[in-house]
Each structure stands twice: as structure tokens, then as C-alpha cells.
Amino acid sequence: MNIERKRQHILDSFFISVSKYKEVIRYASAQKNVIFRVAYNIHRFGTRYVFYHSSRLRIPIFVEHIHATLFFGRGMLLPARDIGGSVLSMYGISPHKSERRLTLWLIKNLKESDIFYDVGAHLGYYTALSEELVMDGEVHAFEANKYLCTYLEKNFLKSSCVHVSRSAVADHIGEVDFYDASDTDDSSTSSRFHLSQSSITPSKVTAITLDEYVRLGNIPPTVLKLDIEGGESDAILGALEVIKIYKPRIAMDVWGGDMGRKYSSPAVKKLQDYGYQAFALDGNGDISKESIADPVMSISDTSEGARGNFVFLI
């Protein structure tokens, strides 16, 4: 199958999965009876929904792993106690609106020869998607969470083009504090900063800069995805040579509100200083016609956790 036919097949599969997800949400909105909602979801998703609900309610789960099939057919082994794992298992997509938009942008824009750096790979959703598309390129997945890295390594052990790096991407080489949220219901809130409401004692993890990673002989990125829960600014500081010389296309998760002003605005400013312009993504995964001067302020939802993915281009 050539790349354009494969791209169209992946797009079609994605829209089918989104339609199924929206159908579930519509039912949940229309059905006020909790028992009926639970029965509907158990009938539709079986044990996958049980794992999801158990994670939300912090009920102990005695099964360690669950299997998921992503929307394009890729099988994945995921942690059963993690909300993100059970959501991927149920829907096969990352359903948040901003993630759906980024998924579409990547499907439409990744080239066969691209070198994709997935900084903040988490469960490997974007790593797996890019693996499907960069058939003559490479995928480099960076994840600071040691527990999640065991899943990344299992899932991509046989992949010839995916390279997993057990490290935080920062502004210096060595060690950094890391707040590992794996023992909460949502490992995606793990961060170099104490952002979670839960009481987490930081541990030390290995840190690397992208500049050093490339100096070690790795091919520099042509597409860079940054989603590391507030650490984006430091990651950019550690990648100034890569950014200046190779000018990769950058997709970055940006927070709104106070968190955005504290953590995302410095990252945006650094990219703008290097000549990048920020573009919003619409529902079709296409970039806005005009650049966005202040992505943080453009996020109208000011509630905690409000965010959006923006594409930065020169």
C-alpha cells in the first residue's frame, strides 16, 4: 500500500472511531439514569469499561495489563490501573478535542522520511501512529516515567524504526526531580513539577538535552512533539542548536489560564524568539490561516487543565 492510500485508510479509520466515541458521549448526555449508563457501557466495552471505572473510583485492580487496539489496527499492551490505558482500550483514540486535532494534523502531514521526536511519549499513542507513517524515517520516543517506559519497550521491541529513551528532556544533562503519578489514576499528570493534587514524593530521573542527543549521533528531528506537563520551556532551552540549525516543525501542548502563563508562555516566547509562529489547529487538523500571537490567551477555557495543541512553523 503506497503512503497516500495508507494515509487515507488511517484517516477513514480515525473518523469511524471518533464517530463511535461521540455516539457514546451523546448517549451519556441524554441518559440521566446512572444504572442505564453503566449497563450500556459495560455492554459496549465489557471489562475495558470496568477497568476505566475502577481507575476513576480508585478501586484496586488485580489485573496488571490490558490490551488495546488503536484505531489504525495497532495492538498495544497498557497498564490496567491507568485511566489513559483504559480510555485507549475503549475507543482506540485519544479522545480529548485537542488530541484529536493533533492526530489529524500528524496523519495529514507526516512524511515517509520524517524523523519524529515524541517528547513525552506517555503510553505511546503518537509513537505508534507516527511509526505507521514514517516508513523510511525514524521515531524517537522520550519518556521520563520509568513505569511507562516498560510498556513502551514491550510495545515497540520489534520495531526497527522506533527508539525509546528512558529520560526526561530538559535544559541540562544529569538528573532532575520527577513527580511520578503512576500510583494515582492518571499517569499523564506525571511531571518535573509538583502539579498534582496528590501527595507525591519526587524521585531522581536521568535528564538529557535534545542538543546532546543529536551530538551523540542520532538523526535530528524534522517533526518535534512536546507534551511534558510544564517542562516544555526547559526542553526548548536544551534544544536551541537543533532548533536553530534544523528548524523542525513543532507541535506543542499549551495550557490556558494561570498554568499557561506560568509554564507555557515562556516556551512559546522562546520559540517566537527563534522565528517560529504559532498556528491553531481546527477540527480537521488543519492550521489556522493566521498565526496566533499569544496561544495561551487564545484558549478561552480558563479552567484548570484547559489546553490545546499548537503547531509552530518558521
Side-chain angles (χ1 to χ4, degrees):
M1 185 184 297
N2 67 39
I3 184 62
E4 292 311 319
R5 286 180 60 191
K6 187 171 190 178
R7 197 187 305 278
Q8 188 58 54
H9 174 71
I10 292 173
L11 273 174
D12 292 342
S13 300
F14 179 72
F15 286 126
I16 290 170
S17 294
V18 170
S19 178
K20 291 178 179 178
Y21 165 72
K22 289 182 176 180
E23 179 186 329
V24 171
I25 298 303
R26 282 195 297 270
Y27 180 86
S29 300
Q31 180 54 258
K32 296 182 180 179
N33 188 299
V34 175
I35 295 175
F36 285 174
R37 287 206 307 269
V38 171
Y40 171 84
N41 284 314
I42 290 176
H43 173 73
R44 189 174 185 101
F45 300 114
T47 55
R48 293 171 292 174
Y49 179 72
V50 174
F51 291 141
Y52 169 73
H53 215 58
S54 298
S55 297
R56 288 189 61 193
L57 298 176
R58 305 297 298 277
I59 299 172
I61 299 173
F62 301 102
V63 176
E64 187 174 0
H65 315 300
I66 55 176
H67 291 271
T69 300
L70 301 186
F71 68 91
F72 48 89
R74 175 60 148 91
M76 301 279 280
L77 187 70
L78 301 173
R81 66 175 186 243
D82 192 279
I83 281 181
S86 55
V87 167
L88 278 180
S89 180
M90 286 193 295
Y91 303 122
I93 62 171
S94 188
H96 190 283
K97 186 181 292 185
S98 69
E99 305 301 339
R100 300 202 310 260
R101 293 176 175 182
L102 179 57
T103 298
L104 283 170
W105 183 80
L106 289 171
I107 294 171
K108 292 180 176 182
N109 289 279
L110 280 179
K111 303 170 186 174
E112 289 178 276
S113 59
D114 270 328
I115 308 300
F116 181 72
Y117 278 24
D118 188 359
V119 179
H122 191 228
L123 296 170
Y125 173 73
Y126 290 116
T127 299
L129 175 60
S130 57
E131 178 192 29
E132 288 289 305
L133 293 164
V134 298
M135 295 178 287
D136 298 325
E138 292 182 357
V139 182
H140 296 256
F142 300 83
E143 178 53 54
N145 189 313
K146 297 175 183 178
Y147 174 66
L148 296 184
C149 278
T150 62
Y151 285 92
L152 290 172
E153 289 165 350
K154 288 176 183 176
N155 285 319
F156 298 102
L157 177 65
K158 297 181 179 179
S159 174
S160 60
C161 75
V162 175
H163 309 273
V164 177
S165 177
R166 280 178 170 247
S167 56
V169 175
D171 59 349
H172 66 277
I173 303 162
E175 289 186 328
V176 293
D177 284 342
F178 185 70
Y179 293 84
D180 185 348
S182 297
D183 289 333
T184 68
D185 59 353
D186 188 1
S187 62
S188 70
T189 60
S190 299
S191 174
R192 287 185 51 211
F193 309 102
H194 193 193
L195 305 175
S196 173
Q197 298 299 316
S198 303
S199 177
I200 301 174
T201 301
S203 58
K204 294 292 184 181
V205 299
T206 300
I208 193 169
T209 69
L210 293 186
D211 283 343
E212 177 64 16
Y213 188 75
V214 170
R215 284 192 206 107
L216 291 173
N218 294 291
I219 304 175
T222 57
V223 181
L224 171 60
K225 189 219 86 181
L226 288 171
D227 184 356
I228 46 177
E229 299 299 303
E232 292 82 7
S233 181
D234 282 354
I236 291 166
L237 275 176
L240 293 182
E241 288 183 25
V242 166
I243 290 170
K244 182 178 179 180
I245 297 170
Y246 301 104
K247 299 176 175 57
R249 292 168 287 165
I250 299 174
M252 187 168 71
D253 188 52
V254 174
W255 289 337
D258 292 338
M259 294 285 282
R261 284 186 284 276
K262 181 176 181 179
Y263 292 104
S264 297
S265 287
V268 170
K269 181 64 167 56
K270 287 181 175 66
L271 290 178
Q272 290 173 332
D273 287 345
Y274 271 77
Y276 278 85
Q277 292 182 302
F279 296 87
L281 292 171
D282 66 18
N284 294 315
D286 298 323
I287 64 172
S288 54
K289 292 181 180 180
E290 302 292 333
S291 63
I292 310 297
D294 190 342
V296 171
M297 290 299 294
S298 74
I299 298 173
S300 57
D301 183 359
T302 58
S303 62
E304 185 174 347
R307 59 192 175 89
N309 282 296
F310 291 78
V311 172
F312 292 79
L313 305 172
I314 290 182

